[in-house]
Each structure stands twice: as C-alpha cells, then as structure tokens.
Amino acid sequence: MRTSFGWLAAAAVAFGLSGAAAQEGQPPEAPPPEMTTEERFIAMHGAIVAYERCRGIRFDEEQAMALNQRVRELIGESFGAGTTLQLIYEARETMTRRVTAEGCGGDRVTEALTLFQTNLADAVSLIDAQ
C-alpha cells in the first residue's frame, strides 16, 4: 500500500515529466513571489501534508494528481524528477515535524492549512466550512 507521500511524489514526477503547461499569473493568496520557486513549492506541498495530518485523511492517486497539477499552476515551474522528489520529501519532513511539535493549532501549521484551503482545496473539492 502506498502512503500519501508516495502518491504525491508519483503524481509530481508524472506532471514534471509530462511538460504540462502551467497557467500564467498567480492568485494573491499563493505563496509570495519573493520566495524562491523551490520555497513556494515546499510551502504548497507542506500545506498538503498539514491538511492530511490535521484532518486525518490520505489523498488518493487521483486527488494527488489534481493537487500536484494545481501546485505546478501556482508556482509556474516544473522541476526534474529528482529535484521534485527531494523538495516533496523536504516539505513532508518539515511539516510533519511542525505538526508534531506545534499541533494543528500552531501558527505555522494554521498558515499552511489556510494556504491549502485558499489555493488547493478546490482542486480536490475539499472546502471546509470553518
């Protein structure tokens, strides 16, 4: 059985290798443009991890593909497979540590959950009523 990270990583690599065109522009809620592309990618994937951990869910393959496509659209960049996997791993490890240390109510975790809700949730039809 694959973990959520496995689906996300496989989906990210598939999109990275497919060359699917990213949409131009960036919603104002997305990670700030002064962040590097890698930092924005990590923030978006960290938001996915925070949502899974704090809501007690696991995204399936179809949802992971949709989320990865949305991340690519928001950051406007595609990385090679190795870089993509490395960045997803870093996002997963960092956010897992934050959720463990701060809980789901911690400031940085709450920011990640808000980032997920405002930028990614509609990609998988998961808008929380909060």
Side-chain angles (χ1 to χ4, degrees), residues 56-103:
I57 66 163
R58 295 247 184 229
F59 292 116
D60 63 24
E61 182 177 11
E62 184 179 333
Q63 291 170 321
M65 295 289 279
L67 288 166
N68 278 294
Q69 181 171 341
R70 177 61 56 85
V71 169
R72 288 195 59 228
E73 291 168 355
L74 290 170
I75 66 166
E77 181 76 30
S78 180
F79 303 107
T83 300
T84 297
L85 291 174
Q86 177 185 354
L87 294 174
I88 290 173
Y89 180 80
E90 183 177 339
R92 178 177 156 251
E93 292 299 309
T94 298
M95 189 53 67
T96 296
R97 282 192 304 271
R98 283 184 184 155
V99 170
T100 300
E102 300 175 16

